[in-house]
Amino acid sequence: MLVTSKELFKVSREKCCAIPAPNFIDAQSMKDYVEVAEELGLPVILALAEVHLEFITLEEAAYFGKFYAEKVNVPVVLHLDHGMTPSIIKKAIDVGFTSVMIDASQDDFETNVKKTKEIIEYAHPRGVVVEAEIGHVGSGVNYENHEETDSQYTTVEDAVKFVEETNVDSLAISIGTAHGMYKGVPKINFDRLQEIASAIPTPLVLHGGSSSGDENLNQCGLKGISKINIFSDLINAAQDGIIQENPTNYLDLKKVASKSMKNCLRHYYEVFNTQQIL
């Protein structure tokens, strides 16, 4: 069933667990993620990043998202991830996404507030929830090596002020992760996470979950994160599976990729301690 994340996050926060938000890039990956969710009887947040619209259009994503969601009994959220272009975010709302992210985290505070409020004013009357980001979860110098990032920690003061001024539905915070893969395991600022979680009632989101360490991610769910985004680990799992099994034709290659990505997602459901919600 297709839902928004509002009730899911309310319960996940109460149960101290996180819901995975695997990024999809095509109908097959959407189908794979929904099948795992149905198999486990757990919710899933299907996330499509704006930068991946070269692989699948908003209309295609909305069509297949609704189709697969209607085939299962578990909650499915269709979410636009890292939306940076207002017209694209509004189009996602219009075609049927149930959740959108406005990512203005690289702008100054006032501009971030202004852009977020603009999307909220468009989304809420249409029954769509909005995620924003304060602080900034960056990327490494290159995709494979995060010895240095442009991340900026979220402060408690900024989080409180941002929520008060925007009434955003969920808030992505920066506490030590970065997008992509790491050379080592990042150090997560759990004290900052708990301070923010105690200061605001708004559900919290963690970006850059891939390769952040199982123990780190498990603790994030226990200490206040309601949603964790995963992408790079899923893609790398597919690649590793293909290398290991060495399929000799395209159809077998697709089967191996799907199997590997599904196994990776199953693993993260366990790590996140995701609970049945609806």
Side-chain angles (χ1 to χ4, degrees):
M1 52 185 162
L2 192 63
V3 301
T4 73
S5 55
K6 190 168 186 176
E7 289 303 314
L8 302 188
F9 288 164
K10 179 181 178 182
V11 178
S12 67
R13 182 154 181 159
E14 292 171 354
K15 292 189 175 183
C16 297
C17 67
I19 301 169
N23 280 95
F24 65 88
I25 56 171
D26 55 20
Q28 183 62 56
S29 49
M30 296 176 79
K31 183 173 184 285
D32 291 340
Y33 302 156
V34 172
E35 286 180 349
V36 171
E38 177 73 354
E39 168 197 322
L40 300 176
L42 298 171
V44 65
I45 299 169
L46 300 175
L48 173 64
E50 182 178 320
V51 295
H52 291 149
L53 289 176
E54 63 180 306
F55 300 110
I56 186 171
T57 68
L58 289 173
E59 292 89 347
E60 289 169 333
Y63 175 84
F64 285 111
K66 293 173 189 175
F67 178 82
Y68 294 131
E70 289 171 359
K71 299 292 183 182
V72 297
N73 295 313
V74 294
V76 177
V77 177
L78 184 58
H79 175 71
L80 180 68
D81 192 29
H82 288 290
M84 298 183 182
T85 310
S87 61
I88 290 176
I89 299 172
K90 292 175 181 178
K91 184 176 181 180
I93 294 168
D94 292 339
V95 300
F97 279 64
T98 58
S99 172
V100 294
M101 178 189 186
I102 167 65
D103 184 358
S105 60
Q106 296 190 71
D107 293 317
D108 60 65
F109 185 90
E110 290 74 19
T111 303
N112 193 346
V113 167
K114 181 181 179 181
K115 289 183 177 180
T116 300
K117 290 175 71 174
E118 176 189 348
I119 297 303
I120 288 174
E121 288 169 2
Y122 191 86
H124 281 182
R126 293 164 174 80
V128 175
V129 296
V130 178
E131 172 188 333
E133 183 174 319
I134 191 70
H136 179 62
V137 178
S139 298
V141 173
N142 61 63
Y143 197 68
E144 298 296 334
N145 186 350
H146 282 192
E147 290 179 310
E148 297 179 17
T149 76
D150 58 351
S151 296
Q152 298 174 3
Y153 272 125
T154 305
T155 68
V156 178
E157 294 75 16
D158 279 352
V160 170
K161 185 178 179 182
F162 189 84
V163 168
E164 288 176 346
E165 294 193 19
T166 64
N167 192 34
V168 72
D169 298 290
S170 61
L171 186 65
I173 59 173
S174 179
I175 53 173
T177 58
H179 294 105
M181 303 301 292
Y182 307 92
K183 190 172 183 178
V185 178
K187 180 176 176 58
I188 306 297
N189 191 332
F190 291 112
D191 290 339
R192 181 66 54 84
L193 167 57
Q194 291 181 294
E195 289 168 359
I196 295 172
S198 297
I200 60 175
T202 309
L204 302 178
V205 173
L206 184 73
H207 287 262
S210 288
S211 77
S212 290
D214 288 356
E215 181 60 25
N216 277 341
L217 296 176
N218 178 265
Q219 289 300 307
C220 282
L222 291 173
K223 296 181 185 216
I225 294 292
S226 293
K227 165 178 169 269
I228 300 177
N229 285 42
I230 299 291
F231 176 62
S232 298
D233 277 352
L234 292 161
I235 298 300
N236 287 337
Q239 179 175 311
D240 291 344
I242 291 167
I243 292 172
Q244 291 170 12
E245 298 196 27
N246 192 27
T248 57
N249 62 72
Y250 180 66
L251 294 179
D252 286 342
L253 183 150
K254 286 178 66 66
K255 290 177 183 177
V256 171
S258 288
K259 179 181 70 173
S260 301
M261 292 172 76
K262 291 170 85 170
N263 284 338
C264 181
L265 182 56
R266 290 187 187 99
H267 169 76
Y268 277 120
Y269 269 111
E270 184 176 350
V271 170
F272 299 167
N273 192 35
T274 310
Q275 303 292 309
Q276 290 183 342
I277 292 178
L278 297 179

